[in-house]
Amino acid sequence: MPFEDRTEAGRHLARRLERLRGPDVIVLGLPRGGVPVAYEVARALDAPLDVLVVRKLGVPWQPELAFGAIGERDVRVLNDDVVADTGLDADELAAVEEAERAELERRVRRYRVARAPEPPAGRTAVIVDDGVATGATAEAACRVVRQAGAARIVLAVPVGPQGTLSRLRNVADQVVCLETPRHLGAVGAWYHDFTQTTDHEVAALLGRAAGHAPAARPRPSNREVEVPAGPVRLAARFVLPDRAPAVVAFAHGSGSGRHSPRNRHVAAVLDRAGLGTLLLDLLTEDEEHDRHNVFDIILLAGRLRAASAWLRRETGLPVGYFGASTGAGAALEAAADDPEIGAVVSRGGRPDLASPAALSRVRAPTLLIVGGHDCRVLSLNRLAADWLRCEHRLAVVPGAGHLFAEPGTLAAAAVLARDWFTAHLTHPETGDPEAGGPPPPSP
């Protein structure tokens, strides 16, 4: 049965672990997603909480498929079957490990600022993650703790497949799992909310558990506003986190608006990453009754340009566009005539509704996110991508339909959008965009 989120999963898991309560227990969360689960376990057991930094080694052309994992203390675990099946050679293995080792060291520095690690030697170490699939990361975690001298290792997760759990019992003294399906699918499918945990959230939970949580960020400005657009004023929901580096205006699809649950979910992910968001109704209530207006891309693009001008006056920050369905066409049409737009993301969008001339004028780095089962829209996105002369990428979310209603698919799209805006809107590339051809779209 799916969990609401990682916090709920942690509370359920904590009840199963109550009998471990004792002075020699330490709880170790696997960042990032395992830390919110581990926080609830540590609180229930009245035990110290720390992170155990490990990194999955993913096959280069299929990063979600792990061929092994690495951990602190130079621990390295390989899945020989995956290595053999994929035909990875020594150079490819080394390249992936080098990149993941650098990220592992970055996270250790980020999480352990002014904090020494909790020593597991001679203690019962409870290793917690939000779920296991192949088990490579969990295995690496167990080996790290074993090497550090833990007296007993308990691996605790909310969900994991039976076969993987059986194998992990060879490296842990005990494995505790709430849901053990024969065929897992994806860990995210077992959560209603599987939004990616941020580094800031990990650091905040560690600080809170240690009794010296950092000063809370001021609550973000969150208010209903009216945005002037020529003769009309457009209703919008405006969220601006403290010290936001940029803000994203949302262009909704036909028949949708600022109350769209899907776009509100994406906006919440961006807000948690520190980005401002403007969920905007591009049409007034009276205008929505005329279906012609819903598909008037030129009208909608003009409204979006008015919104970006308002955002610059209000915040002085860089502006990006997020478009869904027909809103994607409006976003690209608007970006074509506004060289100050820093980045564009389309989710299940119709970029083909923008004119070819407009698409060829877009200079903002553009990400087109399409569901793998949305075959018609995928084809239309590929055609539109051929007209783009800016940096762009076509990202296909496996198993997703047009509305991204399938478990975990909307969360995956939101993470893609967040990472694109973070990379291109808050840290814009320098140099002449005409200096070289754009990278080809992903197949």
Side-chain angles (χ1 to χ4, degrees):
M1 185 172 186
F3 305 101
E4 181 60 34
D5 54 21
R6 292 180 178 89
T7 296
E8 182 192 66
R11 289 170 181 165
H12 284 299
L13 192 58
R15 286 195 283 272
R16 284 280 298 274
L17 298 169
E18 274 286 348
R19 57 189 174 75
L20 293 177
R21 179 189 291 268
D24 67 337
V25 173
I26 177 176
V27 178
L28 302 169
L30 300 187
R32 300 181 179 106
V35 176
V37 184
Y39 175 81
E40 298 299 328
V41 172
R43 188 170 67 164
L45 299 183
D46 195 23
L49 172 68
D50 201 355
V51 288
L52 183 59
V53 185
V54 292
R55 292 293 295 172
K56 179 173 65 177
L57 301 176
V59 175
W61 55 89
Q62 193 176 349
E64 289 305 309
L65 177 60
F67 66 81
I70 57 174
E72 296 179 78
R73 303 174 184 267
D74 294 324
V75 171
R76 177 175 183 256
V77 178
L78 291 184
N79 185 322
D80 293 331
D81 292 337
V82 174
V83 172
D85 290 345
T86 56
L88 289 166
D89 60 32
D91 289 340
E92 291 170 321
L93 296 176
V96 173
E97 182 171 352
E98 180 181 4
E100 294 299 339
R101 181 68 64 181
E103 175 62 14
L104 182 144
E105 292 171 356
R106 182 197 70 79
R107 291 194 181 194
V108 169
R109 292 192 299 270
R110 174 68 176 86
Y111 303 147
R112 294 252 168 82
V113 174
R115 288 183 64 250
E118 286 280 352
R123 306 166 81 174
T124 295
V126 182
I127 300 173
V128 179
D129 203 356
D130 54 11
V132 295
T134 66
T137 304
E139 181 179 350
C142 291
R143 293 188 185 279
V144 167
V145 175
R146 184 76 71 190
Q147 186 171 311
R152 184 166 179 246
I153 297 175
V154 178
L155 176 65
V157 293
V159 62
Q162 296 175 15
T164 297
L165 296 171
S166 296
R167 179 168 54 81
L168 290 171
R169 290 187 177 93
N170 295 322
V171 292
D173 298 299
Q174 182 181 0
V175 175
V176 176
C177 185
L178 302 179
E179 300 286 346
T180 57
R182 184 178 299 275
H183 302 292
L184 175 71
V187 170
W190 289 81
Y191 289 83
H192 292 299
D193 180 358
F194 199 63
T195 305
Q196 185 168 332
T197 306
T198 66
D199 282 342
H200 175 80
E201 289 169 315
V202 170
L205 288 170
L206 291 171
R208 193 183 309 165
H212 55 265
R217 291 180 175 179
R219 295 188 67 179
S221 168
N222 186 337
R223 56 194 171 99
E224 290 282 332
V225 297
E226 287 189 342
V227 177
V232 302
R233 300 183 71 83
L234 305 173
R237 167 60 64 176
F238 181 39
V239 177
L240 188 65
D242 184 55
R243 296 186 295 278
V247 62
V248 176
F250 280 64
H252 308 288
S254 58
S256 184
R258 70 187 189 281
H259 300 300
S260 161
R262 288 177 290 276
N263 283 343
R264 287 175 63 185
H265 176 91
V266 175
V269 172
L270 300 187
D271 294 334
R272 289 173 61 192
L275 296 167
T277 54
L278 182 75
L279 290 164
L280 179 71
D281 290 347
L282 292 175
L283 298 172
T284 67
E285 290 185 8
D286 291 339
E287 290 171 335
E288 288 175 349
H289 296 306
D290 184 348
R291 291 294 293 173
H292 173 76
N293 290 328
V294 172
F295 295 93
D296 189 339
I297 300 301
I298 300 303
L299 170 66
L300 301 179
R303 300 282 173 84
L304 201 52
R305 283 194 295 271
S308 62
W310 181 86
L311 282 170
R312 291 189 187 106
R313 290 194 302 270
E314 286 287 313
T315 69
L317 297 173
V319 177
Y321 289 151
F322 180 94
S325 191
T326 55
L332 287 164
E333 190 79 35
D337 296 321
D338 188 347
E340 293 186 37
I341 295 300
V344 178
V345 173
S346 160
R347 175 192 60 79
R350 291 290 308 277
D352 57 295
L353 294 177
S355 68
L359 291 172
S360 65
R361 295 199 309 274
V362 174
R363 290 295 173 263
T366 298
L367 174 66
L368 307 175
I369 306 172
V370 188
H373 290 170
D374 195 7
C375 298
R376 176 173 175 271
V377 170
L378 179 57
S379 296
L380 294 172
N381 272 255
R382 284 174 171 149
L383 290 172
D386 287 341
W387 285 98
L388 291 171
R389 298 295 177 264
C390 58
E391 178 185 351
H392 61 278
R393 176 187 168 205
L394 178 60
V396 179
V397 177
H402 183 62
L403 297 179
F404 290 78
E406 298 76 12
T409 58
L410 182 60
V415 168
L416 287 168
R418 182 202 63 195
D419 291 350
W420 190 264
F421 284 126
T422 299
H424 297 282
L425 189 56
T426 67
H427 302 288
E429 296 291 335
T430 58
D432 183 0
E434 301 275 341
S442 301

